[in-house]
Amino acid sequence: MATKTATERAVSLLKLWTHMKDVRRPVEEWWQLIGELVIPRKSYVGESDDAPDASRFRRLYDTTAVDACATAANGHVSYITPSGDRWFSWAAPDHVRSDEVDGWYRRCSLIAAKELAAGNFYTNIHETYEDRVAFGIGSISVWPGKRNSLMFRSHEISSYAIGENDEGYIDKWGCEYDWPISRIVQMFGEDAVEGKMAESWHKYKNEHGPDTKHKFIHIIRPNYKAEPGKIGTKNMPFESAYVALDGPYVLFETGLIEFPVCCSRYLKHNGSTGVYGFGPAWRALPTISQLNFNEKLLDLVAEKSAVPPVLIPDYLEGDVDMRAGGVTTFAANRAKGPHAIPQEWLTGGRYDVGVDRSDRKREDINKAFHVDLFRMFAELEKRSQMSVLEVSERTSEKLINFSPTFTRFTADFQVCMNRVFRILLRQGKFPPPPPGALVPDQFTGVLDVENPEVLYQSKVALALQSLQNTGIDRTMQRALDWATALGDPSSVAEEINLGRALHTAGRNEGVPEDIFNTPEEKQAILEQKQAQEQAMMAAELAKSLPNQGQAPGGMPIE
């Protein structure tokens, strides 16, 4: 049974969770509306989705936003983190960078890429992308796996809440789960469950009861009581606790060396002061609502055109046959005047005007979700094997609009990359690091390797980086034009580091790093060049001297 201290600990964590949900509550209403109009299968904000309500789908009259969200999420998967292509590489941090250390980090990135492909990363990151595009924020966590080295878990919107530190980074995260008792025991063990959970497990284990669901929460936050220099779970940078709501009591508690959850926000709601995200669906929500309403009206106009209302004289009431091929008999002597026989009534709606209005709104929605950008990438892939520069030139305007959210994604995703690196390192998946990679740990002082620098190599990343190459090329051409006009081409080297410009352009194009010469190789080439120049100067000098190799009078020089 839980002790009084343990119970107090559980109650304290529940209070923290309640506060985090209170901070989240203002955006839940918007999430619900976005869910119903943009991503109906996730429109059960704060509710159980065990029995989906079909009426929510019946309220949807247009699927432009649904399709746009799916296209944007699929575009993230295909052109930012594609499963079939190499989309990232690791490099050594600047202060420990050398050929040996950099090569070790790059070999580790190849191993990590294989581990990502072997696990459930790509299925879960797609769910996270959908939430990020629709709700403005997506959450995915990384853990050591049982079946594979890595296990990823995406988190449903409104199941989690977040908090930031003083620098605006997420360092507090809580999530509520509603799991069957069998799954809870698989995760925490039979000895961890108490009270109602233990009763449910005993019944299920002995085939006397159903696999009853129970709720628990998971809280991760900084370990404010950690003592620098000491080791152990109680002195790790973050604390992690699972609390069963039946009780309450602590199911399991430990420490974490790194933050395990990546919460990526499309943009931040309310700018620098907001906590949750602001995505394309937020921006286009008024247009999405108007389009949905407009399509509902067009359905009414189309229905009235197909089955129009009919104005019937009172003497024919009940005698008009509305069926296809139906026959209605009436007295010819009474059919006098414009309204003496049945006729269509109030069918003057302008369907074409409504269609034009809907088309304009669809364009606005697709623009908000960057649909044209991802469709253009797909179309360029079909045409030919185009270079990164060609892709960049054709998509430059759309890439510039997409650049801010991609930059935020790479910053947010650093948490996930660091976690993957650390888990695989602790599991011994990487080769031993070279001595030059080891530095003292900031908490324990023990020699350790630092987290890598992440170099993104996906189509979107390379296309954005190649925009920088356009500026480099123009600057270099302008510099050469000026130098030629002045008659001094060597002056370009006085103003521009040509080697650095070439390296930057090559990296932006995804050129492998080993193509460029190392500092040692460049020094050897320089020394060889100097030796050749000296030999040539000596040969020219020897030719210019009279009677080479003899003293005056013809005597050989000793």
Side-chain angles (χ1 to χ4, degrees):
M1 295 294 293
T3 63
K4 182 178 179 181
T5 303
T7 302
E8 291 174 350
R9 169 71 171 158
V11 171
S12 175
L13 291 170
L14 284 179
K15 289 182 178 179
L16 173 61
W17 171 240
T18 301
H19 172 70
M20 295 174 71
K21 288 197 299 182
D22 289 341
V23 174
R24 185 192 68 193
R25 188 160 287 113
V27 300
E28 290 179 357
E29 181 180 353
W30 295 97
W31 286 347
Q32 180 64 48
L33 182 57
I34 289 172
E36 292 180 1
L37 293 174
V38 179
I39 186 166
R41 70 186 182 92
K42 296 185 178 183
S43 63
Y44 306 93
V45 176
E47 303 176 22
S48 172
D49 59 353
D50 289 345
D53 184 2
S55 65
R56 303 195 181 199
F57 291 86
R58 288 196 292 267
R59 292 198 293 268
L60 192 64
Y61 295 92
D62 184 87
T63 60
T64 300
V66 177
D67 296 336
C69 180
T71 299
N74 295 339
H76 279 64
V77 173
S78 300
Y79 303 115
I80 297 180
T81 56
S83 59
D85 294 333
R86 181 82 182 280
W87 55 269
F88 77 96
S89 179
W90 288 338
D94 290 339
H95 59 280
V96 295
R97 181 164 294 170
S98 68
D99 290 342
E100 183 182 26
V101 175
D102 212 39
W104 180 79
Y105 275 100
R106 292 183 184 279
R107 288 193 298 273
C108 292
S109 67
L110 291 173
I111 296 171
K114 292 180 180 179
E115 296 293 343
L116 291 178
N120 63 344
F121 169 74
Y122 291 102
T123 54
N124 280 273
I125 196 65
H126 183 257
E127 295 286 344
T128 304
Y129 284 146
E130 274 202 335
D131 289 354
R132 185 175 185 265
V133 171
F135 304 108
I137 183 172
S139 177
I140 186 171
S141 57
V142 194
W143 308 94
K146 297 177 181 178
R147 178 182 299 180
N148 300 293
S149 300
L150 300 169
M151 189 276 291
F152 294 85
R153 180 178 290 132
S154 58
H155 308 280
E156 296 177 6
I157 197 71
S158 85
S159 69
Y160 61 89
I162 59 175
E164 294 181 333
N165 61 14
D166 60 319
E167 295 182 339
Y169 295 105
I170 296 173
D171 66 345
K172 292 173 283 292
W173 179 87
C175 188
E176 183 174 317
Y177 299 90
D178 189 12
W179 282 7
I181 187 62
S182 62
R183 190 176 178 186
I184 294 174
V185 171
Q186 284 178 338
M187 183 168 182
F188 301 107
E190 188 172 353
D191 295 336
V193 297
E194 302 176 10
K196 294 181 179 179
M197 279 190 180
E199 293 177 9
S200 295
W201 172 244
H202 178 76
K203 292 178 181 179
Y204 179 75
K205 179 182 178 181
N206 294 285
E207 300 180 355
H208 297 313
D211 199 2
T212 308
K213 286 188 173 184
H214 292 268
K215 292 184 178 182
F216 63 94
I217 62 168
H218 184 195
I219 297 289
I220 301 172
R221 66 173 185 170
N223 186 359
Y224 301 107
K225 298 179 182 179
E227 299 181 37
K230 291 187 177 182
I231 59 176
T233 58
K234 292 185 178 180
N235 286 288
M236 291 182 178
F238 296 94
E239 58 181 20
S240 169
Y242 296 85
V243 179
L245 300 187
D246 297 333
Y249 63 91
V250 178
L251 273 166
F252 179 72
E253 190 168 11
T254 188
L256 296 171
I257 300 176
E258 58 274 336
F259 197 68
V261 185
C262 168
C263 290
S264 179
R265 294 163 287 192
Y266 203 90
L267 296 173
K268 286 186 69 174
H269 192 62
N270 291 337
S272 61
T273 61
V275 176
Y276 290 91
F278 183 91
W282 285 77
R283 173 187 165 191
L285 190 56
T287 306
I288 296 170
S289 299
Q290 292 169 14
L291 176 60
N292 195 62
F293 179 72
N294 195 59
E295 286 299 296
K296 180 180 179 179
L297 293 181
L298 285 177
D299 284 351
L300 294 175
V301 173
E303 185 179 355
K304 290 185 70 174
S305 297
V307 187
V310 178
L311 191 66
I312 301 174
D314 56 358
Y315 75 93
L316 289 177
E317 183 178 359
D319 295 328
V320 177
D321 190 349
M322 300 292 293
R323 295 174 300 175
V327 177
T328 301
T329 303
F330 63 96
N333 60 340
R334 300 185 63 181
K336 297 178 181 179
H339 303 296
I341 60 175
Q343 57 184 305
E344 294 182 8
W345 188 52
L346 298 178
T347 57
R350 292 289 304 276
Y351 188 84
D352 57 331
V353 174
V355 169
D356 291 341
R357 189 165 179 261
S358 290
D359 288 344
R360 288 196 298 270
K361 295 188 180 301
R362 289 190 179 95
E363 290 179 5
D364 293 340
I365 292 170
N366 287 331
K367 183 177 180 180
F369 283 89
H370 304 284
V371 169
D372 290 346
L373 173 65
F374 296 115
R375 285 179 177 171
M376 186 174 294
F377 269 112
E379 185 63 29
L380 293 177
E381 278 189 339
K382 293 178 182 178
R383 291 183 182 179
S384 63
Q385 295 296 325
M386 303 183 70
S387 69
V388 173
L389 180 59
E390 290 175 307
V391 172
S392 174
E393 289 175 346
R394 298 195 182 192
T395 61
S396 58
E397 181 181 355
K398 297 176 176 62
L399 279 169
I400 291 172
N401 293 331
F402 187 73
S403 177
T405 184
F406 178 76
T407 301
R408 176 167 288 279
F409 168 78
T410 57
D412 292 340
F413 203 67
Q414 185 69 43
V415 173
C416 188
M417 287 280 95
N418 291 346
R419 178 71 168 166
V420 167
F421 176 77
R422 288 293 166 184
I423 290 176
L424 295 178
L425 181 67
R426 289 192 288 267
Q427 291 177 345
K429 298 293 183 179
F430 299 147
L438 300 175
V439 295
D441 182 82
Q442 61 176 335
F443 291 100
T444 64
V446 178
L447 288 178
D448 195 5
V449 294
E450 291 196 352
N451 293 327
E453 177 186 345
V454 182
L455 306 176
Y456 288 93
Q457 300 173 340
S458 64
K459 288 182 174 63
V460 168
L462 293 178
L464 283 169
Q465 291 165 9
S466 68
L467 292 177
Q468 190 180 45
N469 284 5
T470 303
I472 293 175
D473 294 340
R474 290 175 179 172
T475 300
M476 294 293 294
Q477 185 60 52
R478 186 176 292 114
L480 290 173
D481 292 342
W482 288 356
T484 302
L486 295 174
D488 184 14
S490 63
S491 62
V492 174
E494 298 175 4
E495 300 293 336
I496 298 176
N497 188 318
L498 300 178
R500 188 177 302 158
L502 183 61
H503 277 233
T504 300
R507 292 190 183 102
N508 289 344
E509 295 285 358
V511 173
E513 196 70 22
D514 56 7
I515 284 183
F516 300 109
N517 288 326
T518 64
E520 292 78 11
E521 291 171 334
K522 288 191 289 186
Q523 182 62 31
I525 293 172
L526 179 61
E527 292 175 356
Q528 183 181 8
K529 183 178 180 181
Q530 291 175 344
Q532 291 174 347
E533 291 176 349
Q534 291 174 357
M536 292 176 63
M537 291 177 62
E540 292 294 330
L541 180 62
K543 290 179 181 180
S544 66
L545 292 175
N547 300 319
Q548 180 180 3
Q550 292 184 344
M555 296 295 293
I557 298 176
E558 296 182 357

